[in-house]
Amino acid sequence: MEMNGMVVGVDGSAASVAALRWAIAQARAHGCPITAVEVRAPAHPLPGASYAVQPYGSAPPVERTRTRLHDTVTAAVATVADAPEIVEMRLEGDPGAELVRAAHDTGSTLVLGYTPHTRLTEFLFGRVTGECLRLSRQPVVLVPDSGRR
């Protein structure tokens, strides 16, 4: 399978770390570039309710998101000898749409970590993975969370 590159969704979860490690192994084998992307959902509080629930849970402070992506990439690269260079990209917007757009703009395969959820949690919190699968015209690889069996 020839790859033009990989865009990996990184949110700091164990599943996204597993996806990043998988992408590193593939990049070493195929010699393709990796872009690690973290998307911050914009805050949309309801009128008169500044503490309203955000679409993907409460967003972490901007200061923490600036270091979270870099720390995740650094930790993943540290475990691999001769790791490829990874470009870090931070975006703001709808996570599913922005990840798909990043993969489309670069002609890359989209790599996402996947943690199975119950139907109730999918209904309550939504699923970026499902949105990416519906929207993407690029190949999408789902890497299961290595800690769950």
Side-chain angles (χ1 to χ4, degrees):
M1 177 169 105
E2 185 176 324
M3 291 188 192
N4 293 333
M6 290 177 279
V7 168
V8 183
V10 177
D11 63 4
S13 68
S16 72
V17 171
L20 185 58
R21 288 185 178 147
W22 182 89
I24 290 170
Q26 294 303 308
R28 289 181 66 213
H30 298 283
C32 59
I34 299 174
T35 303
V37 179
E38 181 175 49
V39 182
R40 180 178 169 83
H44 295 293
L46 297 173
S50 62
Y51 54 88
V53 175
Q54 299 297 313
Y56 298 100
S58 60
V62 174
E63 303 80 40
R64 195 168 75 210
T65 61
R66 286 191 185 120
T67 61
R68 181 174 61 185
L69 176 62
H70 182 72
D71 292 348
T72 303
V73 169
T74 301
V77 168
T79 64
V80 179
D82 299 325
E85 181 178 344
I86 300 175
V87 175
E88 297 175 16
M89 181 185 300
R90 288 169 193 81
L91 302 172
E92 185 170 323
D94 177 70
E98 292 301 323
L99 287 168
V100 168
R101 183 175 298 121
H104 179 267
D105 290 349
T106 59
S108 299
T109 298
L110 180 57
V111 181
L112 301 170
Y114 175 69
T115 303
H117 295 288
T118 66
R119 289 181 192 246
L120 177 61
T121 57
E122 287 178 21
F123 173 75
L124 292 174
F125 302 115
R127 260 185 63 206
V128 173
T129 303
E131 186 176 0
C132 289
L133 289 171
R134 283 189 302 277
L135 297 175
S136 184
R137 298 295 174 245
Q138 298 297 115
V140 178
V141 175
L142 297 181
V143 179
D145 177 355
S146 58
R148 294 180 64 120
R149 300 251 187 249

